[in-house]
Amino acid sequence: MKQIPAQVRWEQRTQRPLMALAVLFAVAYAVPIVDTSASRALTRACTVIEWVVWAAFAADYLIRLGLAERRAEFVRRHWMDLCAAMLPLIQPLRLLRLVSTLMLVGRRARMASQVRLTTYVVGSVVGLLMFGSLAVLSVERDSPNGNIKTLGDAVWWSFTTMTTVGYGDHAPTTGLGRILAVGLMLSGIALLGVVTANIAAWFIARFEVDDVEERRQTAAIQLLTEEVRQLRAEVAALSERAP
């Protein structure tokens, strides 16, 4: 029996706990934005939770690196994980912690073989809509010229931006808000491409199955026709020999 590598065992054991921490991060990130009257203690607690969750993902990367048989290859294949883990250390902004945690959650989730493409796409869409709305609301709500003042406005803006519709009734006015808009647009285009490619691949696979089945039936009919021809020939030969 083939022994499972230590890195794979670690990833299997920590998959669900890290997903639970990601949900906790989402709650901690959303509470101070949605509840503008949150106390300073609650806001500080949410900030601590965000840092703890990011630290957990960063520690997970270091542990996986230590368990990897070929560390140089691991770093080369998971360079985005490294960038996400180092991002908050460059400039300790709340938005950078959001981006880095989203990257780490996404990269970590793709390692689970049970996560199917459809589930991943749906989860990505919901996650981007939620975090994009909260992030743009946090940076645009206090802007003097901003027109995204409520959570409803932020969700509507995120949806129209991700679908690249862009009605223009709501638009970011700050630098960070525009950066978020670019990220959401690129993410929406990428997800649309993934969905389109997935649907096309399904149709192609379906057509290939039908084509294989048709070829099998055609070959069976040809074989049966040849057998009938041979039987007729044998019957004719026997008839000629009969007195």
Side-chain angles (χ1 to χ4, degrees):
M1 184 176 179
K2 187 177 180 181
Q3 186 177 5
I4 302 177
Q7 178 190 344
V8 177
R9 293 199 305 269
W10 170 263
E11 292 171 355
Q12 292 175 348
R13 292 174 181 174
T14 58
Q15 181 68 38
R16 291 183 179 179
L18 287 178
M19 291 301 106
L21 286 177
V23 174
L24 181 62
F25 174 89
V27 174
Y29 182 79
V31 166
I33 298 176
V34 176
D35 186 8
T36 55
S37 61
S39 63
R40 181 176 299 180
L42 179 59
T43 303
R44 187 180 298 111
C46 291
T47 302
V48 171
I49 291 175
E50 292 175 17
W51 277 106
V52 169
V53 172
W54 166 80
F57 276 95
D60 172 70
Y61 174 84
L62 294 176
I63 293 174
R64 286 159 51 211
L65 175 62
L67 295 176
E69 297 178 355
R70 299 178 181 178
R71 296 179 181 176
E73 181 180 354
F74 179 87
V75 174
R76 186 168 57 253
R77 292 179 57 186
H78 301 84
W79 61 272
M80 288 188 64
D81 298 39
L82 179 60
C83 292
M86 295 296 295
L87 187 59
L89 299 180
I90 299 174
Q91 186 178 2
L93 294 176
R94 196 158 179 257
L95 184 58
L96 291 183
R97 291 201 302 277
L98 167 64
V99 174
S100 65
T101 305
L102 282 176
M103 290 174 62
L104 288 171
V105 170
R107 296 286 295 177
R108 193 64 170 80
R110 282 198 294 272
M111 294 178 185
S113 58
Q114 68 271 20
V115 178
R116 298 179 181 273
L117 179 61
T118 303
T119 304
Y120 180 74
V121 170
V122 172
S124 299
V125 170
V126 174
L128 285 172
L129 280 175
M130 180 181 67
F131 283 107
S133 302
L134 292 172
V136 76
L137 180 61
S138 66
V139 300
E140 292 291 325
R141 181 165 50 196
D142 298 328
S143 176
N145 300 322
N147 54 18
I148 302 176
K149 300 297 185 180
T150 65
L151 183 60
D153 293 339
V155 172
W156 171 250
W157 172 83
S158 296
F159 188 82
T160 56
T161 302
M162 281 192 63
T163 55
T164 65
V165 174
Y167 285 109
D169 51 350
H170 296 289
T173 58
T174 63
L176 283 176
R178 289 169 180 169
I179 292 175
L180 283 170
V182 172
L184 278 179
M185 284 185 284
L186 293 178
S187 301
I189 294 172
L191 287 173
L192 180 61
V194 171
V195 172
T196 304
N198 192 29
I199 294 175
W202 182 86
F203 276 110
I204 291 174
R206 183 64 182 177
F207 290 151
E208 288 180 351
V209 170
D210 294 341
D211 187 54
V212 170
E213 180 65 20
E214 184 178 354
R215 290 180 181 178
R216 188 188 66 81
Q217 293 177 358
T218 302
I221 292 173
Q222 291 176 350
L223 180 60
L224 182 60
T225 303
E226 183 63 27
E227 291 178 354
V228 170
R229 186 180 296 110
Q230 292 176 1
L231 286 173
R232 286 180 177 178
E234 292 178 0
V235 170
L238 290 174
S239 299
E240 290 177 357
R241 294 177 187 178

